Amino acid sequence: MENLINIVSHFKTQGTIEEIKPLGAGLINDTYKITTQNNDTPDYVLQKINHAIFQDVDMLQHNIEAVTAHIRKKLEEKGEEDIERKVLHFIESEDGKTYWFDGSNYWRMMTFIPNAQTHETVNPEYSYYAGKAFGDFQAKLADIPVELGETIPNFHNMEFRLKQLREAVAENKAGRLNEVKYYIDEIEKRADEMCKAEQLHREGKLPKRICHCDTKVNNMMFDQEGKVLCVIDLDTVMPSYIFSDYGDFLRTGANTGAEDDENLDNVNLNMEIFKAFTKGYLEGATFLTPIEIENLPYAAALFPYMQCVRFLADYINGDTYYKIKYPEHNLVRTKAQFKLLQSVENHQAEMKSFIESNLTK
Ligand code: GN1
Ligand code: MG
């Protein structure tokens, strides 16, 4: 606590700190809410950046500054009201950057958006708004004038994620291989088909665009009426296939269970959420090519698959990447993502026909 107060003192904030407490459910960074004493000074969010994962913090913050500046400009041009609640605002540190290095850790601060909330689950109406918001986010960033770096190289590259899993299997560092054989086999069966995006890209048929790359349902802020205010958690905004944002939202938002549900009967694809989100996304992302649209059902399968591969690799490696709450956590997550993948696979035809009928309307 003392330490956190000290960190805050290196940023150009207003007001006096009243309270600091942990915020959110992210698996990577540590996040705190800083409440200030008076109502006329803003509250803040303080984050310790996980720089084992985001190794180039300067590039990371440069990306985020470019993205927020560009979105702010677009909102201003449109004459939007209440812009402070619609785009993140980072606070300058005493050395004029949007982060502070304390000698061992990197920190950043942003203004806390008042009267807004995040949700771990959403109804179809909210999903429709979420679809529009993520489509619109990609559309707004289509003409960003700066080149963004890959804050995590090969982040959503399926071939690379499979390579990491295979390396983990070969090393078997934590001696857990025997108990996960079934999942390795199931993953390998689907490997070629799941690397379709990389294949299409190599053939020049699939572009990379600026994507959010972490469109978990809890990475957007909603107002009291359920309308989306803004998209948060911008660390992974980088060039990727649009499948990233479409697929990762459905992975979390359209799962009838939790990402780490121990009861696999809870885990299924919710088609009502799928339909509402897809409708919103197709309205927001006005730039999509036929190949991108045609492969949206593939994207819906790709993300539970990729997450299954990533959780499993971390489990085999002895839990070095994701925060865990108990020793089997990454295995439980793997199983839940695999169950979701199977459910998505069973709905492929239905998804395809919904998308087709939506386009001809
Ligand atoms: C991580 O930061 P958070 O918890 O929103 C991860 C995502 C995964 C997600 C799984 C940088 O996101 O890629 O999909 O966990 N972020 C990073 O819940 O690896
Ligand atoms: Mg998050």
Side-chain angles (χ1 to χ4, degrees):
M1 180 75 175
E2 274 307 301
N3 176 40
L4 294 179
I5 295 174
N6 181 284
I7 301 292
V8 173
S9 73
H10 295 287
F11 287 88
K12 298 174 186 167
T13 58
Q14 300 167 38
T16 312
I17 299 177
E18 185 176 77
E19 188 189 38
I20 304 187
K21 55 178 193 207
L23 180 71
L27 302 187
I28 306 291
N29 298 315
D30 293 335
T31 309
Y32 304 89
K33 177 173 179 198
I34 314 280
T35 309
T36 60
Q37 274 170 12
N38 291 321
N39 282 341
D40 54 357
T41 54
D43 294 335
Y44 297 95
V45 174
L46 170 69
Q47 267 189 326
K48 183 165 91 181
I49 301 171
N50 184 330
H51 74 274
I53 291 177
F54 296 104
Q55 296 186 355
D56 187 343
V57 174
D58 215 66
M59 180 217 273
L60 174 76
Q61 288 303 110
H62 174 262
N63 273 8
I64 293 180
E65 284 164 30
V67 166
T68 50
H70 194 70
I71 292 177
R72 182 175 293 271
K73 192 171 136 247
K74 293 257 155 134
L75 293 171
E76 281 166 3
E77 281 167 6
K78 263 179 76 187
E80 288 265 357
E81 283 168 21
D82 205 12
I83 289 180
E84 277 306 300
R85 289 170 75 220
K86 293 182 179 161
V87 60
L88 294 179
H89 175 150
F90 286 84
I91 310 297
E92 214 174 76
S93 69
E94 64 191 22
D95 48 16
K97 296 186 171 157
T98 57
Y99 64 89
W100 166 256
F101 182 57
D102 70 5
S104 46
N105 285 301
Y106 293 85
W107 300 83
R108 68 181 165 212
M109 284 190 77
M110 59 208 110
T111 312
F112 180 82
I113 300 177
N115 303 318
Q117 60 251 106
T118 56
H119 297 289
E120 294 298 325
T121 56
V122 279
N123 60 26
E125 188 193 347
Y126 283 28
S127 302
Y128 168 75
Y129 294 133
K132 263 190 106 147
F134 280 128
D136 180 63
F137 181 83
Q138 292 179 332
K140 278 204 175 69
L141 292 176
D143 62 349
I144 189 167
V146 285
E147 197 173 323
L148 301 184
E150 280 197 25
T151 53
I152 300 179
N154 291 314
F155 189 49
H156 280 171
N157 178 335
M158 195 59 244
E159 291 174 349
F160 175 77
R161 295 299 182 185
L162 281 165
K163 183 167 159 275
Q164 284 184 317
L165 175 68
R166 289 169 187 150
E167 279 163 12
V169 167
E171 290 175 29
N172 190 17
K173 275 192 205 133
R176 289 169 162 176
L177 201 54
N178 276 338
E179 48 176 320
V180 301
K181 284 252 160 67
Y182 169 77
Y183 292 97
I184 308 271
D185 287 349
E186 290 297 318
I187 286 168
E188 289 296 350
K189 274 189 214 162
R190 295 162 173 86
D192 285 346
E193 128 198 28
M194 287 297 163
C195 292
K196 186 174 174 188
E198 278 72 41
Q199 190 59 41
L200 286 171
H201 183 65
R202 267 194 296 276
E203 291 166 6
K205 295 179 184 157
L206 181 68
K208 286 200 180 183
R209 307 181 188 275
I210 302 303
C211 297
H212 182 278
C213 293
D214 190 12
T215 51
K216 279 162 76 161
V217 54
N218 64 13
N219 277 337
M220 55 184 20
M221 307 285 307
F222 293 85
D223 70 10
Q224 260 94 344
E225 279 104 57
K227 296 257 162 57
V228 175
L229 283 167
C230 70
V231 171
I232 58 172
D233 209 346
L234 304 176
D235 294 324
T236 52
V237 177
M238 63 175 118
S240 188
Y241 313 120
I242 57 99
F243 304 156
S244 293
D245 293 358
Y246 178 79
D248 220 18
F249 178 88
L250 292 174
R251 184 183 71 77
T252 52
N255 182 352
T256 53
E259 179 180 66
D260 58 353
D261 221 306
E262 290 186 58
N263 181 354
L264 297 181
D265 292 338
N266 290 340
V267 177
N268 275 303
L269 177 70
N270 179 329
M271 279 303 283
E272 291 315 303
I273 303 275
F274 163 83
K275 288 179 187 169
F277 178 76
T278 301
K279 187 168 182 298
Y281 180 72
L282 289 172
E283 280 173 31
T286 44
F287 50 81
L288 298 176
T289 64
I291 290 221
E292 287 171 319
I293 295 174
E294 193 182 296
N295 281 294
L296 293 176
Y298 154 74
L302 177 61
F303 279 81
Y305 178 79
M306 188 184 302
Q307 203 57 61
C308 183
V309 168
R310 293 177 65 194
F311 284 145
L312 184 57
D314 199 33
Y315 183 68
I316 298 172
N317 284 333
D319 311 313
T320 56
Y321 189 91
Y322 292 108
K323 289 183 198 167
I324 52 165
K325 294 198 174 126
Y326 52 91
E328 307 283 298
H329 204 165
N330 274 317
L331 182 59
V332 168
R333 288 167 171 154
T334 303
K335 292 181 181 175
Q337 293 300 298
F338 183 67
K339 170 68 199 295
L340 180 62
L341 169 66
Q342 290 175 308
S343 177
V344 173
E345 287 172 344
N346 292 336
H347 286 93
Q348 285 288 308
E350 209 183 319
M351 291 164 130
K352 255 187 101 184
S353 66
F354 175 79
I355 291 170
E356 277 160 17
S357 67
N358 210 269
L359 291 174
T360 49
K361 259 185 207 154

